[in-house]
Amino acid sequence: MNNKDNSAHSHNHSCCMHEEHHKHQHTSKGAPQTGGKYDKVPEGYTGTVYTCPMHPEVRSPGPGSCPLCGMGLEPETVTAVDEGPNPELVDFNKRFWVGVLLSVPLLVLSMSPIFGFYQIRDFLGERTALWLELILGTPVTLWSGWPFFVRGVNSLRSMNLNMFSLIAMGTGAAYLFSVTAVLVPEIFPAGFRNADGHVGVYFEAAAVIVTLVLLGQVMELRARERTGSAIKALLDMAAKTARIIHDDGSEEEIPLEDVKVGDKLRVRPGDKVPVDGTVLEGRSSVDESMISGEPVPVEKTAGDGVTGATINGTGSLVIKATRVGSDTMLSQIVEMVANAQRSRAPIQKYADMVAGYFVPVVILIAIVAFISWAIWGPEPALSYGLVSAVAVLIIACPCALGLATPMSIMTATGRGAQAGVLIKNAEALERFEKVDTLIVDKTGTLTEGKPKLVAVLPENGHEEEEVLRLAASLERGSEHPLAEAIVRGAEERDVKMVDATDFEAITGKGVKGVVNGHDVALGNSKLVSGMGLDGGPLSDMANARRDEGETVMFVVLDNKIAGLVSVADPVKETTPKALQELHQLGFRIIMATGDNERTAKAVAARLGIDEIRADVLPEDKANIIKEFQEQGHKVAMAGDGVNDAPALAQADVGIAMGTGADVAIESAGFTLVKGDLDGIVRARRLVQATMRNIRQNLFFALAYNTAGVPVAAGVLFPFFGILISPMFAAFAMSASSISVVLNALRLRKERI
């Protein structure tokens, strides 16, 4: 065997893994946990925190290397400020080009006899040629490859064996053997000598391996930077300044960070909305595609909310700032995406388990390969054994295995944010793939959530205006969508309301109070029957309207029914198509609503919903979810209200409508920025594509290592005379890691 049977290895920043990783794996319930063995950030620290993308439990107040996998730590928080190129990328790039400049002549010199160019070595002489190889190979191995040796030694010292353990051992063995062969060749036994009595050297193998590994690292660092492009793109969308309107009417351009809650701001045509706010004056259409994924502009008039970083159309708006700085929706989206990218999916534990035992097994295989060649291999048997052992160490780096899941998760969460689908963590993403039952609320989920008063039906002896005044006066203090519809209806009809006292809300039934000294109640059939009243002919009228999908409430005056008020909440335009697509994606859809059964059935029949649960109290929704879970179903719950929070938490996956309450969003694994059901369609497609991508990566990584290690050890040599060189092993290892990265990046273009 000669010194040409060598190869290089190139790898990803990520692989590694060690059995201790499981013990310190961070929880996927939201952001990574702080504290713990690998968290070196002191309490109260306010500077930039660095973390390992593959091991979020590793946190440091400054840059460095991950003690688990050896890869460079990166800033935990992405900012809009251009911080320049990654310093590790710059460093590795320099080392790579030095490696190229010296490895090429080294490769030509060492491999010239193979291609028949004996003149080069004949001209130089064998000893001079060997010394020249040492001179060319030493800077590449020791300087260009120095970061790998440092990380490899650290991994051995801490027993967190990883890819750098194998690289350092493989290249170190080849280099030290070659140096010894040049300085004191007489100490080697016959098993290391070729037919001419010379001891082969492997400077070109060590140098090319280092160079190829650096190439893999550079390519991976550049590719991984693109996984954060979604966050950077979102941050770049933010306005840099705002136009404030002072109390005296004058206007001034101020930095965005100087805007305070309550400030009055002007948004001119074509400007970006600076912060979240409420429209005070003007009318315009606003492009909200950056947060909702929908290209159609949304009309905005006085009273409507606007979101920072969206783009104003042709009209001029005056807005009042309601949320600024880190409280804006854009900032919250960025934080949620960043946390999700650092979270770990349950499927990752299988890769960790394999990788935790992989490196020690590979070292053992390399030792066995060397011994086997030494005993049974052809001459020079020991040289063959050394080459095989180095090739095994290099080709077996579990980089691709470590990258398989995190790269897909990081890319998918960024892609979801661009489509208005915010993923809280990787666990929610993986769980959603298995969901077969979707429970949806009606108001605000299937419907617009902006009901309108459509009818007032007085009992004999009462006037329509009187009934509406009683209902609106009682509901004026409530924030419920139905209450707002009644009050707004009274205002539109110029019905004067009065103050109500002793107001009492009865959950799931209605409200009570005193209006102008009279006891008044407003609510559904449960409230009326609980008061011992009979609706009489009005009950038939109420049922007829419920059959049309309207919500009907009785108005009770001094313990006698005075009439009915009927409210309708229009179904969202996107709902029918979204429900059809959800059925095609394998969901069984159940509507759980506080409305009575007649109204619920009318809506369900119109939309093709599989099952309804009507007259449901808020606390009942969680019990319904438990019921289906006990039957073996995986359940997702979509809702938008405060009362949906317990159900969202109980579900295998909670889906919050971004237009809803903050507490609902906090309880959910997914948040749909726009709040339409078609967001669930996009989420499901993204999840399916992501899990498919992860499985492809894992399969490729495992198949590569399963096939590569025995081939590198030489199992094909007795049959076909094939023995791969360490340089080819390095190329194959780099290619496997880069393939995983590129496959994960395909998710950026996934159509959802």
Side-chain angles (χ1 to χ4, degrees), residues 13 83-98 143-144 147 214 217-219 221-222 225:
H13 244 334
E83 298 174 346
N86 184 335
E88 185 180 30
L89 176 58
V90 173
D91 180 51
F92 277 20
N93 208 41
K94 290 178 182 176
R95 294 177 189 272
F96 166 71
W97 284 111
V98 169
W143 185 80
S144 294
L214 283 167
Q217 293 284 306
V218 168
M219 292 181 68
L221 280 167
R222 286 179 176 165
E225 279 189 340

Side-chain angles (χ1 to χ4, degrees), residues 434-452:
K434 301 179 178 124
V435 167
D436 56 24
T437 303
L438 174 63
I439 296 178
V440 296
D441 186 29
K442 182 174 78 75
T443 304
T445 303
L446 298 175
T447 63
E448 295 284 357
K450 296 179 180 178
K452 298 176 182 177

